[in-house]
Amino acid sequence: MRKGNSSIRAKLNHDSGMLIILTVICIVFFSIMKPAFLSVDSFASIARQIPEIGLFTLSMMLPMLVGGIDLSIIASANLASILMSMYITSHIERGEENIPAMLIAIVICIGTCTAVGFLNGVIVAKFKIPAMLVTLGMQMVLTGISLGITKGGTLSGYPESFRFIGNGSILGIPMQFILFAIAAAILVVIMQMTSFGMRLQMYGSNQIATQYSGINETALLIKTHMLSGVYVGVAAIIMASRLNSASAGAAANYLMRTILIAVLGGVDPNGGKGKVSGILWAVLLFQCMATGLNILRVNSYIVIALYGVILLLAVIVRTRRYE
């Protein structure tokens, strides 16, 4: 068993090394093609995009570690941000600062996403339905509710203190990046230093062996989806703050990207294998690539097709690598 774990760790470390090399190659390539890629504005754009997509990817990584997937994370974030916006606009006058009300709104946002994660976990665990089908159905339900509440419109108008979360900075470091770093560090501790994190990875590696080991499968799956919901909620807060708005269609293109980044970051689609550090490097690589393609003005449809090709190749490589 130790030999097997050592082999997996070696593969994951090798993956991180490859991601670093690919990131350097990506930066050099786009710098040659377009020197403007090395500008301060370019790297500032990358830094602003990393926290949101990074948090969504971490939330996607968790169900993937237990051999599942969560297709409802964006719909959950949108509904949570809409409910949060409704509370803010009804309890805080435009331009007024009301910290207690803002904190309650934040709790509503994270609580909504955690509740969605709980429902997903219960249905997956209790009824033994594939996570893909459960979360796809949940995505449709949540999107329908969001559209019903907003009538397809957009809610906006947050106080300055709330907008600071997604647009402000402390000592020159974007506030959203600080929150992302804290969230990632907490997840590293959970995954590497708690029995829950160890059981989570063990379950994804061998579900049958985990069941015979006495681990409560139902509780594990529910907790995993709830933790994923917490990270979705934090991402929703940052997204709403940055955009100063909430709608049913926000971040619609993030879902496929989170799956792509998770696989690039070393998460095995079959479960059990993946590290936060791999996700961090994959997010950086992806955003460098996305920014570079944008600077080169590559057609957006071509970019989508390119992401699809990369995802297919990454899945093939990961699957063969962990066989």
Side-chain angles (χ1 to χ4, degrees):
M1 184 67 180
R2 289 182 179 177
K3 183 177 180 181
N5 288 338
S6 298
S7 175
I8 291 173
R9 284 196 294 270
K11 290 178 180 179
L12 291 173
N13 290 333
H14 180 268
D15 290 340
S16 295
M18 288 300 297
L19 285 171
I20 295 172
I21 294 173
L22 288 174
T23 302
V24 172
I25 292 174
C26 182
I27 293 173
V28 172
F29 172 77
F30 285 118
S31 299
I32 294 174
M33 295 297 295
K34 203 78 171 180
F37 180 80
L38 291 177
S39 67
V40 175
D41 289 341
S42 176
F43 283 102
S45 174
I46 293 173
R48 285 194 298 269
Q49 293 295 322
I50 282 177
E52 281 177 40
I53 193 67
L55 285 165
F56 279 125
T57 304
L58 290 177
S59 71
M60 179 64 76
M61 179 189 77
L62 289 164
M64 289 181 72
L65 284 174
V66 292
I69 197 169
D70 191 343
L71 302 179
S72 68
I73 59 173
I74 305 303
S76 176
N78 287 337
L79 176 59
S81 61
I82 287 170
L83 296 178
M84 177 178 63
S85 298
M86 292 174 63
Y87 185 88
I88 289 177
T89 54
S90 62
H91 288 78
I92 303 176
E93 295 294 331
R94 186 175 295 273
E96 179 185 328
E97 297 295 333
N98 188 333
I99 300 301
M102 189 182 72
L103 292 177
I104 293 174
I106 289 174
V107 170
I108 290 173
C109 184
I110 296 178
T112 299
C113 293
T114 305
V116 171
F118 173 77
L119 289 175
N120 284 334
V122 168
I123 298 173
V124 169
K126 292 289 189 180
F127 298 97
K128 308 299 180 183
I129 302 174
M132 182 177 70
L133 297 179
V134 172
T135 56
L136 177 61
M138 185 63 73
Q139 176 197 57
M140 298 171 68
V141 170
L142 299 177
T143 300
I145 294 173
S146 297
L147 289 170
I149 292 174
T150 62
K151 302 295 189 294
T154 299
L155 303 179
S156 62
Y158 303 134
E160 181 62 33
S161 56
F162 183 81
R163 294 199 301 272
F164 178 81
I165 297 173
N167 299 282
S169 62
I170 297 177
L171 299 176
I173 304 175
M175 184 62 190
Q176 56 180 328
F177 199 89
I178 295 173
L179 293 175
F180 172 58
I182 294 172
I186 291 173
L187 190 55
V188 169
V189 172
I190 292 173
M191 297 301 298
Q192 297 185 2
M193 301 179 65
T194 68
S195 58
F196 166 72
M198 296 175 186
R199 290 197 301 268
L200 190 156
Q201 296 178 78
M202 184 189 304
Y203 179 86
S205 299
N206 193 326
Q207 295 183 19
I208 297 177
T210 303
Q211 291 168 2
Y212 281 106
S213 68
I215 292 176
N216 188 327
E217 178 184 2
T218 299
L220 179 65
L221 290 175
I222 292 175
K223 289 178 181 178
T224 299
H225 282 276
M226 288 180 68
L227 181 59
S228 173
V230 171
Y231 277 79
V232 173
V234 176
I237 292 167
I238 292 176
M239 180 175 68
S241 173
R242 181 180 65 83
L243 298 174
N244 192 29
S245 65
S247 68
N253 60 350
Y254 273 13
L255 183 60
M256 185 192 74
R257 296 182 181 188
T258 61
I259 299 172
L260 168 59
I261 295 170
V263 176
L264 280 176
V267 179
D268 184 359
N270 296 315
K273 305 172 187 71
K275 293 176 65 177
V276 174
S277 59
I279 296 297
L280 300 182
W281 280 112
V283 171
L284 177 59
L285 171 61
F286 178 85
Q287 282 306 139
C288 286
M289 182 172 60
T291 301
L293 292 172
N294 184 53
I295 290 176
L296 292 178
R297 300 185 183 281
V298 177
N299 185 285
S300 60
Y301 299 112
I302 299 299
V303 172
I304 293 173
L306 177 61
Y307 289 160
V309 171
I310 294 173
L311 176 58
L312 289 173
L313 291 175
V315 169
I316 292 172
V317 171
R318 297 299 179 199
T319 301
R320 292 180 62 85
R321 184 170 179 78
Y322 289 122
E323 285 179 349

